[in-house]
Amino acid sequence: MANLSASYVPSGNYTDRFWKKEAIREKSTLAIPNGYPKYIDSPLAWTGVEVEAKESEWKLYLSPEEIIAIDAALAKFEVNHHDLSELSSSTFELPAEFSLRLRKLSDQIYKGVGFQLISGLDPSKYTAKQNLIVYAGVSAHVCPQRGFVDVKAKGVVAHIVNVQGSGNGPLTTAPAFTNVPLSFHTDNCEVMAFFYMEPASSGGETILSSLWQTYNELAANRPDVLHTLAKPWVFDSFKSYDFQPPRHVQPLQKLNSDKVPILFRFSRYGILGWQRKRNPDLPAPTEAQIEAADAIQFIAMKNAFKLRTKKGDLLFANDMALVHAREGFDDGRGVMKRHLIKMHFRDPDQGWGLPSSLENEWKTVYGSDEAKRTREEIWHIFHQPGLEEQSSVNG
């Protein structure tokens, strides 16, 4: 495995080795897995250079009038409602034309480049609770359905902070809750959203890449990797197995849908660990699996697009077609500054099909308690120590 990067964050040397090896690799005669597409022709398959030139398709600037409308919707919600779980497009009332403008963003998320950035909000003028109302209220006009973000299927918001940054945080944690670079991964939801509450002192930018572009390049050049990804893997949770057992995952699945032909679900952390090491009682990652993990990481990085976000930006990313990563960042000694709030959404009207193997998981994330026909949501207004351990996906 000398040429493979069996670590969560591959070094630049491994990147160079990967591409040098690819440059001299003989053309494979292996066919792609049976039933999988040879090529995905879609706006969701893009390179960073291509998508950078399409800013008008993925960035929406809020006008002063629209910000006034958001503030009015916030004030009206606070008067008429006390439970944040009542937030919806009907309780967070925006002018019809503005609501329709936001609603059309869903088409870009599902059928366009796969992500949308809304710019112009100022979190510093709201209280912590008001920021959640604005975040979820605006989002309800984009994608109406909220999902849970934690293992218990209770919490609907996750605070992404460097829990080790204050100097008295946990000795070990998942990479998402530190200041290290995050490798490319999915969140196992339909639409992942970030509210950028506070940027890092330096670094920390979100990086997006098209999984469908990665798939096309693997299908053309590395069908062996597709075969590896289409087999069962075991992802460690790095938690008590009573709380979150290992996940048995087929990272690449085919879907019987014209809208979404394949589904990637992937994380290097689940197979390679980081500060917490993989349980030796689990099957060790094979050389083919590590090679596949490297291929996803390096091809995704080659085609990536780095977002230059500002405080107050809202990002919506299609987690079924895109993969995301993060730059490492610096907040200074003893400071926990960088702060993102993550939520999961979906748009039922878009009708993306799912394999039967995911139906129960999607019901858990997006459905209701079938006995009560309700959802019992917990809204964590602030980050609390230990809350990061409830996160279902950690980088």
Side-chain angles (χ1 to χ4, degrees):
M1 295 191 186
N3 291 325
L4 302 177
S5 176
S7 61
Y8 174 71
V9 183
S11 69
N13 289 337
Y14 282 109
T15 305
D16 293 340
R17 289 180 193 176
F18 176 84
W19 289 114
K20 286 178 180 178
K21 188 175 180 180
E22 291 303 297
I24 61 173
R25 183 184 298 275
E26 292 185 6
K27 182 71 174 180
S28 175
T29 59
L30 182 68
I32 63 173
N34 185 41
Y36 284 80
K38 294 181 179 179
Y39 181 83
I40 303 174
D41 185 8
S42 168
L44 287 160
W46 46 257
T47 67
V49 172
E50 292 169 344
V51 84
E52 187 170 13
K54 298 180 179 180
E55 183 175 304
S56 62
E57 296 182 19
W58 53 261
K59 192 165 188 177
L60 183 150
Y61 292 93
L62 295 173
S63 69
E65 293 77 17
E66 288 170 337
I67 293 173
I68 290 172
I70 289 172
D71 290 347
L74 166 64
K76 189 170 183 179
F77 181 88
E78 289 185 303
V79 169
N80 296 321
H81 305 275
H82 300 289
D83 186 353
L84 296 186
S85 295
E86 296 178 66
L87 278 161
S88 68
S89 60
S90 60
T91 61
F92 194 83
E93 300 178 45
L94 296 175
E97 185 177 353
F98 182 23
S99 176
L100 182 60
R101 185 158 114 98
L102 293 174
R103 192 72 185 92
K104 287 182 177 178
L105 299 184
S106 177
D107 284 340
Q108 281 292 348
I109 295 168
Y110 282 87
K111 304 171 186 174
V113 295
F115 67 96
Q116 286 290 304
L117 195 68
I118 300 177
S119 188
L121 291 171
D122 179 8
S124 62
K125 75 177 188 180
Y126 305 118
T127 67
K129 183 176 180 179
Q130 287 174 332
N131 271 308
L132 290 186
I133 296 172
V134 168
Y135 181 10
V138 170
S139 299
H141 290 266
V142 180
C143 291
Q145 197 169 0
R146 283 190 296 273
F148 294 117
V149 298
D150 65 356
V151 176
K152 295 181 177 180
K154 294 292 183 183
V156 292
V157 297
H159 295 267
I160 311 301
V161 293
N162 176 12
V163 298
Q164 296 178 330
S166 63
N168 57 1
L171 295 178
T172 65
T173 187
F177 299 100
T178 67
N179 65 345
V180 301
L182 292 189
S183 294
F184 285 102
H185 63 282
T186 58
D187 260 31
N188 303 335
C189 63
E190 204 152 311
V191 176
M192 182 206 69
F194 284 144
F195 190 14
Y196 292 82
M197 299 293 292
E198 192 68 50
S201 298
S202 62
E205 293 287 19
T206 301
I207 307 170
L208 300 176
S209 191
S210 166
L211 271 175
W212 290 12
Q213 177 69 23
T214 297
Y215 176 90
N216 283 342
E217 296 191 21
L218 290 173
N221 304 308
R222 295 298 307 275
D224 59 308
V225 169
L226 296 184
H227 280 270
T228 300
L229 293 168
K231 296 176 181 177
W233 295 36
V234 180
F235 287 5
D236 202 345
S237 70
F238 305 101
K239 300 174 185 174
S240 166
Y241 290 167
D242 291 335
F243 184 62
Q244 186 180 10
R247 291 189 297 128
H248 295 260
V249 176
Q250 182 180 323
L252 175 64
Q253 301 179 54
K254 60 181 179 180
L255 305 185
N256 296 319
S257 169
D258 293 335
K259 297 179 181 179
V260 51
I262 56 105
L263 176 63
F264 261 114
R265 308 173 77 217
F266 188 75
S267 166
R268 291 179 72 87
Y269 181 52
I271 59 168
L272 297 173
W274 184 57
Q275 289 181 343
R276 296 171 181 175
K277 304 304 180 183
R278 184 177 173 91
N279 186 341
D281 291 335
L282 295 178
T286 66
E287 185 170 339
Q289 287 176 334
I290 296 175
E291 189 169 8
D294 282 356
I296 291 175
Q297 174 69 19
F298 299 137
I299 294 173
M301 181 58 76
K302 175 175 70 74
N303 296 317
F305 175 63
K306 182 169 70 173
L307 285 168
R308 291 170 177 81
T309 55
K310 297 180 180 178
K311 181 175 179 176
D313 282 352
L314 279 174
L315 171 66
F316 301 87
N318 186 326
D319 195 65
M320 296 176 72
L322 306 185
V323 66
H324 61 281
R326 180 190 71 200
E327 288 183 326
F329 64 90
D330 182 21
D331 276 341
R333 185 180 296 275
V335 177
M336 193 169 68
K337 179 187 176 187
R338 184 182 185 271
H339 181 196
L340 277 60
I341 302 178
K342 181 172 70 175
M343 296 186 72
H344 291 166
F345 296 99
R346 73 183 295 263
D347 183 353
D349 292 341
Q350 294 292 346
W352 275 30
L354 289 172
S356 57
S357 60
L358 285 184
E359 287 179 359
N360 288 336
E361 184 175 336
W362 247 237
K363 286 179 181 178
T364 300
V365 173
Y366 292 107
S368 60
D369 184 315
E370 293 187 2
K372 299 179 180 179
R373 300 287 182 182
T374 59
R375 280 169 60 92
E376 296 180 2
E377 296 180 340
I378 296 175
W379 295 72
H380 296 286
I381 296 175
F382 301 99
H383 172 73
Q384 303 165 17
L387 194 60
E388 67 278 0
E389 291 298 320
Q390 297 183 20
S391 179
S392 58
V393 178
N394 305 290

